[in-house]
Amino acid sequence: MSLQQTFIANLRYFRKKRGLTQKDLSVYLNKGYNYINCIEGGNSFPPPDVIDQIAKILEIDPAQLFLRDGSPESLRHNGSQQFSQEITDQIISRLKDVIAQEVRQSLNP
């Protein structure tokens, strides 16, 4: 998950947690109706001063918008990647063991 995707997932999560629509948040920021829609759609990214304003409105620290484990969505994505890697590593390890055992048995009948 890229930094922008993490930001979007966290923004969406904290916005909904506060009970705000995209339009509500745009209005609080004195921005156009579709401003937050463009950000959450990945079409634009807010400058630092707007990120600070968003965090203030959402009553969170601005850094929370960038944490990879900041929202359930980003946790789920990062957790599934980690789980997939762990399974892959286990399968490879088992295959190596099986291959080594087969080679030993074929050399020592």
Side-chain angles (χ1 to χ4, degrees):
M1 182 177 262
S2 72
L3 186 60
Q4 183 175 6
Q5 290 169 326
T6 299
F7 178 87
I8 291 167
N10 291 339
L11 172 60
R12 187 176 294 127
Y13 170 75
F14 287 113
R15 176 181 58 75
K16 288 180 179 181
K17 187 175 178 183
R18 293 272 300 142
L20 299 173
T21 65
Q22 291 178 344
K23 181 182 176 185
D24 294 335
L25 187 52
S26 294
V27 169
Y28 283 130
L29 293 168
N30 278 334
K31 301 291 184 183
Y33 173 76
N34 288 323
Y35 184 73
I36 297 300
N37 184 306
C38 288
I39 293 171
E40 288 186 7
N43 299 321
S44 65
F45 196 81
D49 62 316
V50 175
I51 293 171
D52 285 338
Q53 290 174 1
I54 290 171
K56 185 175 181 180
I57 292 165
L58 298 178
E59 298 178 357
I60 60 172
D61 187 276
Q64 286 181 272
L65 292 167
F66 296 95
L67 295 175
R68 295 208 183 274
D69 60 353
S71 72
E73 183 179 322
S74 60
L75 269 174
R76 193 170 33 254
H77 179 79
N78 291 329
S80 66
Q81 282 183 329
Q82 181 179 358
F83 179 73
S84 295
Q85 185 61 49
E86 289 173 5
I87 294 293
T88 301
D89 292 345
Q90 287 178 9
I91 290 170
I92 290 171
S93 176
R94 288 180 184 173
L95 283 172
K96 285 179 180 178
D97 290 345
V98 168
I99 291 169
Q101 184 179 5
E102 289 294 322
V103 168
R104 280 192 299 273
Q105 286 178 354
S106 68
L107 294 175
N108 298 319

